[in-house]
Amino acid sequence: MTAIAEIGTEGMERLRSSRVFIVGCGALGSPVAMYLAGSGVGTVGFADFDTIDISNLHRQLFYETGQAGRNKAEVLKERIVRLNPECKVNALETLITEKNAPEIFSEYDFIIDATDNPSSKFLIEKTCISLGIPYTTGGVSEFHGQVISWAPGHVPLSELLSAPLDPSAMPCQINGVAGPAAGLIAAIEASEAIKHLAGIGEMLYDKLFTIDLLTMETHLFRIC
């Protein structure tokens, strides 16, 4: 990463001293965690109460068939340690709730929403706004994906919606997810974190990025 002009030695030092927390260790969260650890982020934390399911492995490539039934966070931690032993990993085998989110998030510099349901996304948004912690949120369904980031003074995802989402909706379970779509959105989320931590580039603040892999059409909607 030091060979990348925009990052250099100073940027790498910023990454090494940074702490990122990821909510969810599935199709989005697991590759995001690997990208961040591989990029030299000093501390990577994540939480997931769920276990590995063989039916999800087409999009959760960092898990193996023989690990079915094990907790995702536990297995992901083992994987990251093998990738980058210098990265401090905080793996929580728990569900992020309104009660524990503030205490957990407050220990980190940047939060990544890698969940697949509206209720979790708005819980993450609400907590980050109350704490003033920047975050990025991604969503994927079939071959479609979207990403938006937030920091104090910018527009959060909830303000973009003309109508509230059904908290019981589970896009991933309803429509399914194409593996490459999840991988692409995860890469963008990881890139948002790296840009913020290293102080480089242009963030997706006040902008919603969308992509349709079936047509390869992308859009960047500017909110203000």
Side-chain angles (χ1 to χ4, degrees):
M1 294 283 282
T2 54
I4 300 176
E6 291 82 357
I7 295 181
T9 302
E10 182 178 348
M12 281 305 304
E13 288 302 319
R14 290 183 179 179
L15 292 177
R16 290 192 187 99
S17 63
S18 298
R19 301 168 60 89
V20 180
F21 191 80
I22 306 161
V23 185
C25 298
L28 296 178
S30 54
V32 166
M34 296 293 286
Y35 275 126
L36 295 180
S39 297
V41 173
T43 300
V44 176
F46 42 78
D48 201 313
F49 67 95
D50 203 4
T51 57
I52 297 170
D53 190 316
I54 293 177
S55 65
N56 296 329
L57 297 186
H58 71 285
R59 63 180 184 272
Q60 298 178 10
L61 305 180
F62 294 102
Y63 303 126
E64 302 172 2
T65 301
Q67 297 168 333
R70 293 186 60 190
N71 176 266
K72 293 178 182 177
E74 175 189 23
V75 174
L76 184 57
K77 178 177 181 178
E78 295 172 357
R79 185 77 165 80
I80 290 177
V81 169
R82 292 198 300 271
L83 171 70
N84 181 5
E86 295 183 359
C87 178
K88 180 179 179 181
V89 183
N90 298 325
L92 305 180
E93 301 177 28
T94 188
L95 175 69
I96 295 298
T97 65
E98 189 171 358
K99 182 178 181 179
N100 64 20
E103 181 178 0
I104 294 172
F105 288 9
S106 64
E107 298 295 322
Y108 293 85
D109 306 308
F110 195 84
I111 307 298
I112 296 180
D113 166 28
T115 65
D116 62 1
N117 65 90
S119 59
S120 293
K121 292 183 179 300
F122 287 115
L123 167 61
I124 294 167
E125 175 185 286
K126 178 182 177 181
T127 305
C128 286
I129 290 176
S130 67
L131 296 174
I133 301 175
Y135 79 97
T136 190
T137 179
V140 62
S141 178
E142 298 180 340
F143 285 90
H144 313 281
Q146 63 182 37
V147 181
I148 185 173
S149 296
W150 177 87
H154 296 280
V155 179
L157 175 63
S158 60
E159 292 189 19
L160 303 182
L161 304 177
S162 58
L165 293 178
D166 179 1
S168 64
M170 298 287 284
C172 181
Q173 294 181 9
I174 294 174
N175 299 322
V177 173
L184 177 59
I185 296 304
I188 294 174
E189 286 195 284
S191 178
E192 286 293 282
I194 291 170
K195 287 188 297 182
H196 171 78
L197 298 172
I200 62 173
E202 185 175 335
M203 298 287 293
L204 286 172
Y205 295 147
D206 304 319
K207 290 174 286 188
L208 177 67
F209 171 84
T210 68
I211 185 169
D212 181 346
L213 268 67
L214 291 177
T215 62
M216 291 311 298
E217 291 185 352
T218 63
H219 296 281
L220 189 62
F221 298 97
R222 297 184 182 275
I223 313 307
C224 59

